[in-house]
Amino acid sequence: MSSCSTTTTMAEDDGGRTAITAVHPDIIQTLILTKLDGPTLISAGFASLQLQNLCSDDELWRKFCNSSWPSTSDPLIKNAVAAFPSGHRSLFSDSFPSITHNDPKPITGDNSNRRLLSPELISAVDIHFGGNLLYSKVLTNETESGWFMSSPFRIELLGHKEIVPTPVKFDGEDGNCKLELQKMKLSWILIDPSRNRAVNVSSLNPVSVQRHWLTGELKVRYSTVMGSGAGAGEGLVQCGIVVTCEGKEGGELHVREVSMQIEDMDGKVLCGKDSLVILQEVIEGGRKKRKENEEKENYEHFLELKKKWKENKQKKEKNLDMMCIASGITILISFWTLIVFGSRTNGSYFS
């Protein structure tokens, strides 16, 4: 008892306040650090050596990850994260921030032959609505077969005939449904077990909610714009995640499909090989603090560039068509000129 009193007294400053070093580590870890969010916890680790040790506890970070992304509690994710340099703290540091848009590196012979992702790609997906968990799933995709490499890259989350109910009532009016679906948050973490790295490819909040003109389905889109060297227009592609919702008027709106794919400036879905090269750069790339509405602004900017890219492409194609037509007319005129000139020469010779 006296030793505890002595320690506390020694740790008091001139103002009579007790320093953090006087507080028992169990109290700090249980009652203080668990109340902080991830970024604040990382910052707290730089305050002192004692806090650095306490803030590095993997069990603490596991709880943070499981709370933010319930899918990370899956045994498959646990086994993959166990090999990360700092365990769940590394997972959080990779997946919580947004990616930085580095200058695209062209896919030349050297880059295309680089070691791609591992034989499998792990997805940890969580969908929340209004702060409540709506759906959570972990799935793996093989990435080595020739079929995967040459086919359009697309990952389907839901199984055949699988649907996910939502608390939204389908009233047949775009305004109310679209406004409600803006509350749907989606996280899609991709894990590369061979590199012990992860990245969150979702914008978390929807960048657009649109009704399909033919089917009437509501499409909730999440998008992250990435750099690309795959000859994709201005060197940008978007990793698009689309949640398809449908329902009957007056009934419950439910999720029918969730898919993820990578599209270039022409709207073309990239093949598995090109997509993996891009994801490799993103996973190994830098991270930065997420800013509100940043991904939506990036998506809108991408659409503007996509529109300009399409207009320039059509203009070039139109100019090329005009050149071909002009060349054809020139050749035709020259051909008929030679025929007419030749016939006149032959006529004057026989006369």
Side-chain angles (χ1 to χ4, degrees):
M1 183 73 179
S2 59
S3 59
C4 292
S5 302
T6 304
T7 304
T8 303
T9 305
M10 293 289 292
E12 289 182 351
D13 58 17
D14 294 337
R17 294 168 296 186
T18 302
I20 191 68
T21 53
V23 183
H24 195 281
D26 290 344
I27 296 178
I28 297 176
Q29 199 165 50
T30 306
L31 302 179
I32 299 177
L33 298 184
T34 54
K35 307 298 181 183
L36 305 179
D37 58 20
T40 306
L41 185 62
I42 293 176
S43 300
F46 293 102
S48 68
L49 182 60
Q50 180 192 18
L51 285 177
Q52 181 181 3
N53 293 331
L54 293 176
C55 292
S56 300
D57 180 61
D58 188 67
E59 181 63 19
L60 182 63
W61 284 104
R62 184 191 65 79
K63 292 179 180 179
F64 269 113
C65 291
N66 293 171
S67 175
S68 301
W69 312 296
S71 60
T72 58
S73 61
D74 187 278
L76 185 63
I77 303 297
K78 288 182 179 180
N79 292 336
V81 174
F84 279 36
S86 299
H88 285 85
R89 177 174 178 174
S90 295
L91 175 64
F92 188 91
S93 298
D94 278 348
S95 306
F96 184 80
S98 62
I99 65 171
T100 56
H101 302 289
N102 297 322
D103 294 332
K105 299 178 181 179
I107 301 179
T108 60
D110 293 337
N111 279 342
S112 61
N113 290 326
R114 292 178 61 185
R115 181 172 65 93
L116 297 179
L117 299 182
S118 66
E120 65 176 8
L121 195 61
I122 304 176
S123 295
V125 186
D126 297 285
I127 304 177
H128 287 82
F129 188 92
N132 298 317
L133 181 65
L134 200 65
Y135 186 78
S136 182
K137 188 173 184 178
V138 173
L139 69 160
T140 61
N141 296 90
E142 64 85 19
T143 61
E144 282 190 322
S145 68
W147 179 86
F148 180 88
M149 287 292 186
S150 58
S151 299
F153 178 80
R154 182 182 176 91
I155 299 179
E156 296 280 357
L157 183 65
L158 302 184
H160 183 58
K161 293 185 178 180
E162 184 180 5
I163 62 173
V164 180
T166 73
V168 180
K169 295 297 180 181
F170 186 66
D171 55 10
E173 297 183 10
D174 283 356
N176 293 336
C177 286
K178 287 183 178 180
L179 187 62
E180 286 296 309
L181 288 175
Q182 290 288 346
K183 301 176 183 178
M184 184 182 292
K185 296 181 181 293
L186 184 145
S187 169
W188 193 308
I189 299 175
L190 289 177
I191 298 176
D192 175 13
S194 69
R195 287 182 172 79
N196 300 323
R197 293 293 304 273
V199 66
N200 199 330
V201 294
S202 174
S203 56
L204 303 186
N205 294 306
V207 296
S208 71
V209 180
Q210 300 292 334
R211 182 185 293 276
H212 193 276
W213 67 275
L214 181 60
T215 62
E217 297 171 331
L218 289 167
K219 304 282 187 177
V220 186
R221 176 176 288 273
Y222 304 81
S223 174
T224 298
V225 179
M226 306 172 176
S228 165
E234 298 292 334
L236 292 177
V237 297
Q238 68 146 332
C239 180
I241 302 170
V242 178
V243 178
T244 303
C245 302
E246 64 179 9
K248 295 182 179 180
E249 189 169 351
E252 186 180 71
L253 194 68
H254 59 263
V255 177
R256 184 181 61 81
E257 182 181 277
V258 182
S259 63
M260 186 263 283
Q261 59 190 25
I262 298 179
E263 303 174 3
D264 63 13
M265 297 286 281
D266 289 322
K268 175 186 175 184
V269 179
L270 300 187
C271 67
K273 183 177 181 180
D274 289 344
S275 298
L276 291 180
V277 172
I278 294 170
L279 290 175
Q280 172 186 311
E281 298 292 341
V282 171
I283 287 177
E284 295 182 335
R287 304 288 190 272
K288 64 178 181 180
K289 182 180 179 181
R290 288 186 182 270
K291 297 180 180 179
E292 188 176 0
N293 295 325
E294 181 181 22
E295 296 297 347
K296 185 174 183 179
E297 293 173 358
N298 289 339
Y299 173 71
E300 293 173 349
H301 180 60
F302 176 82
L303 293 182
E304 292 177 3
L305 292 178
K306 183 177 179 180
K307 182 179 179 181
K308 292 180 181 178
W309 167 256
K310 186 176 181 180
E311 291 174 350
N312 291 335
K313 188 176 180 180
Q314 290 177 342
K315 186 177 180 180
K316 290 179 181 178
E317 290 176 350
K318 184 177 180 181
N319 291 337
L320 182 60
D321 291 341
M322 294 299 295
M323 290 177 61
C324 291
I325 293 173
S327 299
I329 294 175
T330 303
I331 293 173
L332 183 62
I333 293 174
S334 301
F335 177 73
W336 282 107
T337 301
L338 289 174
I339 292 177
V340 173
F341 180 76
S343 62
R344 288 182 178 179
T345 303
N346 292 335
S348 61
Y349 174 76
F350 287 111
S351 64

